């Protein structure tokens, strides 16, 4: 006991039990490095969050290498590409033909379920008052209160913040060295989850004068669809019938014989769109990964994949630091991760601004010109495909 706190020790203290935190713990365990994962929310809450659904090829490859690809390969759905659409036209971009790489439909809830099954007792849920200490020294530690009300101190060699936008890790980086870049977009997504078979074999990204629409899916019986709406939209303004009618209009129901099939809506929410990057991603003995360091609008399907890429770089860096006493990879982690972060931030911004409409008719014509350029040029289509399907981690 010290200052009334129960003392504990591990090699890596991980804050946040979402996909990035649990995946990092799993990758470290496979290399013999101990960790403890601290999570404010309950396990049920974390496991039930409806988030991303598209996995890059590099994410699938890493999950395979980590022994986590069995159910993904059995129950996930490989997609060769996406459709780009605007009124009167729909074009398929075949990523496999363009780059030799594909994407997979496999929801974040499923990834979380796979990671939870292998986490064992490494993850501690429903903690509170989490605080980071001495991150600039050689003996960092985390204090917190467990679900039973007991105050604890967790000493570690390093601390990793995987606790997203609202956790304590991001703000633990001193203001004097912290730099942030942020952009808020003038629109949001109204998203629905519906118990109905998808009306498309692959995702449809649709530009429309009334606003962007996206037809995605989670399984052969569950569809995920989105509408561009103004910021501050109240879901109560959008009853199910209105949602389906607007989706039908923007997605081109009836064009060339294609039909959007409506179904029971099981979840409905509004998601603001923003980009955020914080540097450095490593300060002293603290490393940041995932949403703790960066957020992208979901248009480019990069959020979860970018978090996995962070962890894919960080795990071997921590193993080298703690097992081989070689700090080279750990010292480069922030620079290496941020290079990929900014590339994905740019791609997400580009997709977002190309597809979301405004009241400016000049901008609308520029967007249509960009879309026509992408689908009519193999170089343009390949650039989109390379970024969407994702480069190998480390490049």
């Amino acid at each position: 006991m010290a200052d009334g706190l129960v003392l504990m020790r591990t090699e890596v203290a991980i804050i946040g039990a979402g996909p990035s935190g649990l995946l990092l713990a799993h990758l470290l365990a496979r290399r013999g490095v101990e960790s403890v994962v601290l999570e404010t929310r309950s396990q049920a809450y974390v496991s039930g969050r409806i988030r991303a659904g598209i996995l890059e090829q590099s994410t699938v490859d890493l999950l395979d290498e980590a022994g986590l690809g069995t159910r993904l390969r059995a129950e996930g759905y490989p997609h060769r590409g996406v459709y780009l659409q605007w009124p009167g036209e729909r074009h398929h971009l075949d990523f496999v033909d363009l780059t030799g790489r594909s994407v997979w439909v496999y929801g974040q809830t499923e990834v979380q379920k796979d990671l939870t099954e292998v986490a064992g007792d490494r993850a501690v849920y429903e903690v509170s008052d989490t605080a980071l200490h001495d991150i600039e020294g050689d003996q960092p530690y985390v204090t917190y209160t467990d679900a039973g009300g007991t105050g604890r101190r967790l000493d570690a060699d390093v601390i990793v913040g995987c606790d997203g936008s609202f956790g304590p890790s991001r703000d633990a980086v001193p203001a004097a060295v912290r730099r942030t870049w942020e952009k808020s977009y003038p629109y949001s997504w109204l998203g629905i989850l519906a118990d109905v078979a998808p009306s498309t074999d692959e995702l449809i990204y649709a530009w429309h004068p009334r606003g962007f629409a996206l037809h995605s899916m989670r399984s052969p019986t569950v569809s995920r669809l989105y509408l561009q709406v103004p910021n501050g939209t109240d879901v109560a303004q959008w009853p199910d019938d209105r949602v389906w009618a607007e989706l039908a209009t923007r997605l081109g129901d009836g064009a060339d014989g294609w039909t959007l099939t409506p179904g029971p809506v099981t979840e409905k929410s509004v998601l603001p769109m923003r980009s955020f990057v914080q540097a450095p991603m490593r300060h002293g003995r603290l490393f940041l990964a995932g949403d703790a360091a960066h957020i992208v609008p979901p248009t480019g399907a990069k959020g979860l994949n970018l978090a996995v890429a962070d962890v894919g770089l960080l795990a071997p860096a921590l193993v080298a630091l703690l097992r081989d006493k070689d700090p080279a990879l750990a010292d480069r982690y922030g620079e290496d991760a941020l290079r990929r972060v900014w590339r994905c931030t740019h791609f997400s911004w580009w997709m977002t601004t190309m597809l979301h409409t405004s009241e400016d008719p000049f901008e609308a014509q520029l967007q249509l010109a960009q879309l026509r350029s992408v689908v009519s040029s193999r170089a343009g289509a390949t650039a989109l495909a390379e970024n969407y399907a994702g480069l190998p981690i480390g490049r």
Side-chain angles (χ1 to χ4, degrees):
M1 303 282 288
D3 298 326
L5 300 176
V6 176
L7 299 181
M8 303 168 60
R9 170 146 190 94
T10 191
E11 292 182 279
V12 181
I14 301 172
I15 303 176
S20 57
L22 290 187
L23 178 57
L24 177 61
H26 178 69
L27 294 174
L28 292 175
R30 286 170 64 88
R31 294 165 173 83
V33 175
E34 296 178 351
S35 66
V36 172
V37 185
L38 304 176
E39 171 59 49
T40 301
R41 304 285 193 170
S42 68
Q43 180 177 317
Y45 177 89
V46 176
S47 298
R49 288 183 293 198
I50 304 296
R51 296 277 179 89
I54 304 298
L55 303 184
E56 294 178 2
Q57 184 67 58
S58 55
T59 296
V60 174
D61 292 344
L62 180 60
L63 293 174
D64 277 338
E65 292 169 10
L68 297 167
T70 301
R71 198 165 70 88
L72 188 163
R73 294 286 182 178
E75 300 179 17
Y77 301 92
H79 280 195
R80 292 183 63 97
V82 298
Y83 294 97
L84 289 183
Q85 174 181 306
W86 56 96
E89 297 194 41
R90 179 180 293 173
H91 300 267
H92 185 250
L93 301 185
D94 190 313
F95 298 163
V96 177
D97 176 56
L98 292 165
T99 70
R101 297 167 68 78
S102 63
V103 296
W104 284 69
V105 174
Y106 193 68
Q108 179 171 317
T109 52
E110 303 306 314
V111 175
Q112 187 74 28
K113 185 184 300 183
D114 295 337
L115 289 166
T116 300
E117 289 182 357
V118 299
D121 58 1
R122 287 191 294 271
V124 182
Y125 293 90
E126 299 182 68
V127 307
S128 58
D129 303 319
T130 306
L132 291 69
H133 307 270
D134 293 350
I135 62 172
E136 295 176 337
D138 294 329
Q139 297 178 319
Y141 64 97
V142 180
T143 57
Y144 66 97
T145 302
D146 67 20
T150 299
R152 297 181 180 272
R153 168 173 165 161
L154 178 62
D155 290 278
D157 296 307
V158 298
I159 300 172
V160 180
C162 299
D163 47 343
S165 303
F166 304 108
S169 300
R170 177 188 290 180
D171 290 338
V173 178
V177 300
R178 189 192 317 155
R179 297 188 66 195
T180 61
W181 298 264
E182 186 168 10
K183 177 178 176 60
S184 294
Y185 297 84
Y187 32 72
S188 299
W189 276 10
L190 172 67
I192 66 166
L193 202 65
D195 283 341
V196 62
S199 302
T200 178
D201 58 335
E202 294 182 336
L203 276 68
I204 302 172
Y205 285 80
W207 183 98
H208 193 276
R210 296 175 63 91
F212 168 74
L214 170 63
H215 192 322
S216 184
M217 64 281 291
R218 287 293 179 268
S219 76
T221 59
V222 177
S223 295
R224 185 71 163 154
L225 302 103
Y226 299 93
L227 289 169
Q228 175 188 341
V229 295
N231 288 338
T233 292
D234 183 353
V235 293
Q237 300 170 347
W238 285 86
D240 295 358
D241 288 348
R242 183 186 179 192
V243 171
W244 286 114
E246 191 65 22
L247 283 166
T249 296
R250 298 188 194 182
L251 290 170
D253 186 28
D256 295 327
W258 181 84
T259 300
L260 175 67
T261 304
V265 176
T266 59
E267 192 266 346
K268 190 183 301 180
S269 60
V270 173
L271 174 68
M273 310 283 280
R274 70 188 184 109
S275 299
F276 174 90
V277 179
Q278 176 169 310
M281 288 179 64
R282 187 262 175 99
H283 180 74
R285 289 277 171 160
L286 170 64
F287 298 80
L288 301 179
D291 287 1
H294 44 75
I295 297 168
V296 292
T299 322
K302 287 285 156 267
L304 173 60
N305 293 293
L306 199 47
V308 170
D310 288 347
V311 170
L313 292 172
L314 184 54
L318 293 181
V319 172
L321 177 67
L322 299 175
R323 285 290 174 269
D324 305 328
K325 308 305 179 185
D326 181 356
L329 289 177
D331 289 344
R332 292 205 327 259
Y333 165 71
E335 179 182 348
D336 290 345
L338 279 169
R339 188 178 301 113
R340 188 185 189 96
V341 165
W342 277 115
R343 175 166 182 169
C344 292
T345 297
H346 175 265
F347 176 68
S348 299
W349 166 85
W350 177 73
M351 287 281 286
T352 300
T353 54
M354 178 173 64
L355 289 161
H356 289 74
T357 55
S358 71
E359 296 180 356
D360 184 346
F362 180 78
E363 183 175 318
Q365 293 305 312
L366 292 180
Q367 291 172 317
L368 291 170
Q370 181 69 78
L371 286 164
R372 293 187 184 103
S373 175
V374 168
V375 302
S376 63
S377 162
R378 186 173 181 87
T382 300
L384 188 152
E386 283 181 344
N387 284 279
Y388 197 103
L391 294 174
I393 294 173
R395 287 181 55 188

